[in-house]
């Protein structure tokens, strides 16, 4: 793996952040583009009040000089603008507990386990008393850091014509984009939530990213992990995906052709979704994912209190009732991290001069094969 | 990651093999069970002639004494019984080329690119002339090593009541198990191939495997990678999977209950497929995967010759026309590697005595929460 | 590896920082202790002016609540107080270049390659024009982040009586601690610099950290990497170290004894430095390292300008002339990261409750062997 | 890391072996060279009877065709010719225990803990009863696998003029090579053992391997780990090593020069041992290591029996009394694995065609800087 990255931050902590290690020297980063990806993650029908509080902006602390990467680790933060209301309950330091502060802290304590969240498994695994200690990190707010990282990867890959797109295909049972808003609103009024289906496309990847040589180098597996790791995603498909299983081989596989002038080796169809033998095959990479409905709802589910075991209605904290668009934004940016890794593994990872050379020489070599 | 493993071997080489590093001390391995998993991989309707040639048996070379693990790396081989017919074309050594040998080698050379395989991307990426050099490693024969490794992992996990099952739900459009054989036969007679849908179940995992703390520790992502890395798998779903996207939150999420006497915290439904917040939640883990049809068919697809670019019919070498059952066997064993890793990360990885203690103390602690 | 960490930051950037992932839940962090380690790194005879500018303080951003770890990634920063003088030359953003700003930037550009630094190899490897882009990250200032991380690891290990010490044994040829100051001063007045010899001790590690099972799990190798990676360290010894090579086996190896009442298995000597077979053997771990003299000196060495190849005297920027004590502080804290990793690999890594149990049960088991 | 490898095998098991994953396509392997490295490991004054039993030969099973790498994992074995005498005591399978077999097994059981070995820590860590289970894997016999792997790496690096040498500088207190044999013999007759000092040289590495960017990418740290992980090595030095600490900066650091015609940037001295800022600087890499005396001696040390705690003389099994030359062979081959990794990280890792291009273009670029 050429790049490594760690994300950090709690949902109501002071800030989110991350470090990416392994970025090559000499690539221009487009800060507006990065912030536009962060903004995209906050948009879409169905978002709750919080999205109006926060307007995520990346603040880069290291690894970049005059807007270009200098090969050293890129550290960034994204401020949580709501933190001012959480200073005491989320204090990093041990604090003196006045009665007033004690009340503020108490108010934010949670012992009510939310179904379909990390809450139950989290408190048991880590031996945690206050469910908030799980909630704060398992919150999807963390994905803002991932979007920032993916957007940085996109800035590098854009130099080679590689682009990332996401598109919402379906919200609940609604497949008509024009109706998404009303459909979501109807459920919100009922205190209910929705998931949906998203298509992610990687445009213009070179042939030969990933490898069939060892199972954990396969690009399909790496992309599947990246996408299934996005909170609430429960299904990942590549190309025809599940539908492949219903077709015969003769009726589904992409035949190979050769165009002497332009495309060289190519396919007329792309049922494989651009990945064969665990490698990019030169076509666009097509991924479809399904997001489950947001588990936090006003129309609360049954649950129990931790340790008292008292039956309760699930805890409800400010929440979206649909975040499918946001999920797509996270997903495409997670793909960008996987693609950049495979790209740098293939073309070297030191600096733009040498990578440009390796990339261009490779394409030239392919033209002769 | 507590365990690491590497697989090796070409489809027509002398043998397959693998090394697993990180197995704890003191676990009994059931060699018959491991071989039964290897046999399962070779069975099922739709398998070609090769499955009659080979009867895979594991030969363990190191890491085991008197049938128990001794903590040192476990190396094993699985002989390719067909190798006697491939001695010259697959020779590891440089050999003196008599006209007779030259002919044997020539006969096995391939310049015809098979669609839906690693062939095209493989020869371009690695600058390979003879497509056989791709085919030999990208062949699904490699999965025999993965099954052996997964079966070894199962032997350890069985001590804690954790079991792995796979079940074919659908072959092509056929959902009736009794009809699978005839359905597959019909396609074979046409020279066509089929894929299908498989359900994999992990029975009885403890709560708290995997973590929400960092994206790459999430059990859902790790399982998705392991399954999508199985050749021909194009879709992975967890629990309700894609169907989740069509239901509302109130109608889909698993409520939490508490049973004082037996189960303690539990769910009455398992739509989540046993994973919430990237962790096992104590219910069975349910995974569904879709396999594309086998790409090598008598009823050949259009392709081109490598380097000459001449249009041809795709190369056909001895092949199954359906391998969905085998795919399920590989899939459940890949799951076993992921679960063992998460298990040892949680309970320590040195020896059975200490792991038993950590496991039992954990369960006892959970009973008090 | 139970914990992963990344450090970030340039020497004259806005701040340094880091993220540690994998810290268990429930450990109290002693902020004063962490800051005292940072302060120690800045002390010692021979430090230059910069140490008076900066008084490093850790600012923890995430992963800690009410001073206890909550298992989520711990992100921290350490401000560079001198940054106000470097706002333009180290700007992350592309900036509008007024003549005044251009001058400030120009002033900080470097084309003069400093011998014994990363400069030459760095500019060639990364195709860098301004040597500052190498210098800023290769500067030993980065080790402040490592000290912070190691100090956090120490806070956890202190719960099990494990302590880390460093001691300067020699400065240049001077072995008398009382004379260190004068000795260093003498060289400073000559514009020359010094290195020295440091002893690092890990007190009270449990037996069985690390493993002989695979070369990259050996504790001696991992400690050697951690120490040799500290800037300017050119020699690492364990126990008797190099002197071992001059003694016969009979005259050097530590015999094994058993004390029924207290120590159980023990050694009367510790020539092995607490590590046998790549594992801690229950005795204190003793490491000796040698630091080369600081390469930046007023009494400048010959060098050349990058790209013009013009012979020059090496660039001199504000520098210490001796930093051996600081080096020891970095070294012991790097050891703490290695020991914590081995400790958590052995005893689990989720939370204090379960780790305490695993640790105590292990010690109890050992008493019976 | 471009390549990964695992070694396997017990000292008296059926065979040793290993798998290397990540070797690029298209490199010729010189089997005679690999075997010559294995032979070198078995030579040298002071080796015991075993070295006459075994004549190690590599048997490559996969990843190579007609003596060239094909990018797939290279699996190999090295037979233990002595295994015929160990069939029952080292049986992988559970066996029926006849009285005769029981006796053979009993005869090989060990409860006597050898000082300065992995024995004590090993049995405690892994909760092992029969010390043989530690001894078999912690034995230096395992290093034959490492030598095979390193020799394969050398075959690839030789294409770029990079060579690896080891040289014994000292045996015990004896610095005169002509006297080594007699010196060792004298100690052998006394039942005592010896260590020594070894110099390892990497000839002709390109500038820029490794990196100052992150501590765990530094070539000095990686080499130190690789060398300190060789059994019995207790000291690793780079360049001047420990002696650096006694010299002043002005008197020790390597000045930089430029030769327009041939060498371009170069140094007239090489005190740094070819590594500055954690990177190769274009000069030869010089490493010095110290090996402790072999701990198994006829002139036995005091020890105790495991579990009975009875004072005993340490167990003596057939052993060398000096293995310094062998240690050097292992050491240089471990270096080769580190250097190949850094080389492939820098120049890509797919195939010889593309790597040659990247390497040559890099050198050409450097000539212009």
């Amino acid at each position: 793996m050429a790049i490594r990255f760690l994300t950090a931050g709690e949902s109501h902590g002071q800030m989110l952040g991350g470090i990416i290690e392994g970025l090559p020297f000499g690539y221009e980063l487009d800060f507006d583009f990065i912030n536009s990806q962060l903004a995209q993650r906050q948009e879409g029908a169905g978002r709750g009040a919080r999205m109006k509080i926060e307007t995520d902006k990346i603040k880069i602390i290291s690894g970049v000089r005059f807007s270009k990467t200098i090969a050293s680790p890129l550290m960034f933060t994204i401020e949580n603008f709501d933190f001012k209301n959480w200073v005491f309950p989320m204090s990093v330091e041990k604090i003196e507990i006045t009665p007033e502060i004690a009340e503020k802290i108490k108010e934010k304590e949670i012992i009510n386990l939310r179904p379909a969240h990390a809450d139950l498994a989290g408190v048991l695994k880590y031996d945690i008393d206050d469910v908030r200690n799980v909630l704060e990190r398992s919150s999807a707010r963390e994905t803002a850091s991932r979007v920032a990282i993916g957007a940085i990867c996109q800035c590098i890959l854009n130099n080679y014509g590689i682009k990332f797109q996401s598109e919402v295909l379906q919200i609940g049972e609604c497949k008509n984009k024009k109706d998404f808003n009303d459909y979501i609103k109807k459920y919100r009024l009922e205190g209910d939530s929705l998931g949906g289906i998203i298509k992610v496309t990687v445009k213009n990847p070179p042939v030969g990213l990933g490898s069939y040589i060892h199972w954990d180098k396969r690009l399909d597996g790496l992309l599947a992990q990246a996408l299934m790791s996005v909170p609430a995603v429960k299904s990942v498909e590549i190309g025809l995906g599940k539908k492949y299983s219903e077709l015969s081989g003769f009726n589904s596989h992409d035949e190979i052709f050769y165009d002497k002038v332009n495309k060289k080796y190519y396919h007329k169809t792309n049922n494989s979704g651009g990945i064969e033998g665990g490698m990019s095959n030169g076509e666009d990479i097509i991924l479809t994912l399904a997001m489950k409905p947001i588990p936090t709802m006003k129309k609360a589910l049954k649950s129990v209190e931790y340790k008292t075991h008292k039956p309760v209605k699930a805890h409800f904290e400010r929440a979206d009732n649909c975040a499918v668009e946001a999920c797509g934004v996270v997903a495409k940016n997670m793909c960008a991290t996987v693609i950049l890794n495979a790209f740098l593994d293939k073309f070297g990872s030191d600096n733009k001069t040498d990578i440009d050379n390796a990339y261009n020489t490779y394409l030239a070599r392919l033209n002769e094969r």
Side-chain angles (χ1 to χ4, degrees), chain A:
Chain A
M1 288 294 169
I3 62 165
R4 301 179 273 185
F5 60 89
L6 294 172
T7 70
E10 285 83 40
S11 180
H12 299 95
Q14 190 177 348
M15 40 181 103
L16 301 168
I19 298 179
I20 323 173
E21 194 283 314
L23 296 175
F25 183 88
Y27 286 92
E28 180 89 32
L29 298 188
D30 181 340
F31 293 15
D32 290 340
F33 173 77
I34 298 166
N35 284 326
S36 79
Q37 295 289 298
L38 289 173
Q40 267 187 30
R41 197 196 67 91
Q42 300 187 284
E43 289 161 12
R47 308 311 301 276
R50 177 151 190 186
M51 292 307 132
K52 283 148 202 159
I53 301 173
E54 313 276 2
T55 314
D56 289 339
K57 292 263 180 262
I58 193 171
K59 179 182 167 184
I60 294 178
I61 288 168
S62 69
V64 175
R65 205 169 160 218
F66 307 135
S67 79
K68 284 192 174 175
T69 56
I70 58 168
S72 53
L74 188 158
M75 185 178 196
F76 68 89
T77 55
I78 300 168
E79 205 178 330
N80 281 333
F81 291 101
D82 195 21
F83 179 63
K84 57 182 177 296
N85 303 314
W86 292 81
V87 171
F88 296 117
M90 290 302 293
S91 172
V92 161
E93 285 89 18
K94 202 182 280 175
I95 45 178
E96 216 184 322
I97 308 287
T98 64
E100 192 200 13
I101 289 173
E103 198 181 337
K104 278 189 183 170
I105 291 173
K106 191 74 202 161
E107 195 177 275
K108 298 298 190 187
E109 256 184 38
I110 306 174
I111 53 168
N112 182 317
L113 301 163
R114 296 165 308 156
H117 270 293
D119 295 11
L120 173 59
V123 290
L124 292 173
K125 177 186 179 75
Y126 290 108
D127 200 26
I128 288 174
D129 286 337
D130 181 355
V131 182
R132 174 161 305 284
N133 285 325
V134 175
L135 175 158
E136 285 291 332
R137 180 63 188 166
S138 62
S139 160
R141 175 113 189 91
E142 172 265 336
T143 58
S145 292
R146 301 204 216 174
V147 168
I149 292 166
I152 289 164
C153 294
Q154 286 195 59
C155 289
I156 293 174
L157 291 166
N158 282 348
N159 288 277
Y160 308 99
I162 306 171
K163 303 270 182 185
F164 297 81
Q165 298 171 351
S166 63
E167 184 189 355
V168 178
L169 300 182
Q170 196 173 325
I171 299 282
E173 291 180 312
C174 176
K175 299 182 183 189
N176 193 333
K177 286 179 203 193
K178 287 183 304 182
D179 299 336
F180 283 173
N181 259 311
D182 293 343
Y183 188 82
I184 291 166
K185 196 174 171 186
K186 179 173 153 269
Y187 278 81
R188 187 172 61 243
L189 295 175
E190 292 171 12
D192 207 348
S193 68
L194 288 164
I197 294 176
I198 298 150
K199 181 181 168 187
V200 171
T201 308
V202 184
K203 308 285 290 183
N204 204 31
V207 67
L209 301 182
S211 179
Y212 62 89
I213 290 295
H214 208 258
W215 73 272
D216 51 4
K217 287 184 156 176
R218 292 179 66 104
L219 197 62
D220 40 13
L222 293 165
L223 287 167
Q225 180 189 16
L227 293 181
M228 198 68 97
S229 79
V230 176
V233 171
K234 299 296 275 190
S235 163
V236 176
E237 298 172 276
I238 300 177
L240 277 189
K242 199 167 186 176
K243 195 165 287 177
Y244 247 133
S245 64
E246 298 187 349
L247 302 173
S248 80
F250 190 76
N251 291 311
S252 64
H253 291 307
D254 306 312
E255 300 185 312
I256 302 176
F257 299 90
Y258 190 82
D259 171 30
K260 215 171 161 174
V261 184
N262 292 312
K263 307 183 205 172
K264 310 292 169 170
Y265 298 98
Y266 74 102
H267 309 82
K268 289 182 179 166
T269 52
N270 188 13
N271 291 338
S272 73
I275 299 184
E276 289 171 327
M279 292 171 289
S280 60
N281 71 355
E283 307 299 332
D284 289 349
I285 296 173
I286 312 289
L287 303 148
T288 307
L289 44 154
M291 186 192 191
K292 72 179 185 185
I294 287 189
T296 310
M297 298 162 291
K298 272 197 191 143
K299 192 174 172 181
L301 296 167
K302 288 181 195 162
S303 187
V304 295
E305 266 185 18
Y306 187 45
K307 292 196 173 171
T308 71
H309 313 146
K310 208 176 76 180
V312 288
K313 287 289 177 178
H315 173 79
F316 178 74
E317 197 160 290
R318 185 182 55 185
D320 311 326
N321 86 312
C322 183
V324 180
E325 255 182 76
C327 181
V329 177
V330 179
K332 75 176 171 185
N333 280 294
M334 283 305 289
C335 287
T337 68
V338 172
I339 297 296
L340 181 62
N341 245 327
F343 189 92
L344 298 179
D345 279 347
K346 180 144 194 43
F347 299 113
S349 53
D350 279 356
N351 63 76
K352 187 168 185 300
T353 309
D354 293 348
I355 295 170
D356 283 355
N357 166 62
Y359 177 78
N360 292 324
T361 312
Y362 178 67
L363 293 195
R365 175 166 74 68
L366 264 46
N367 274 340
E368 293 164 15
R369 296 295 184 263

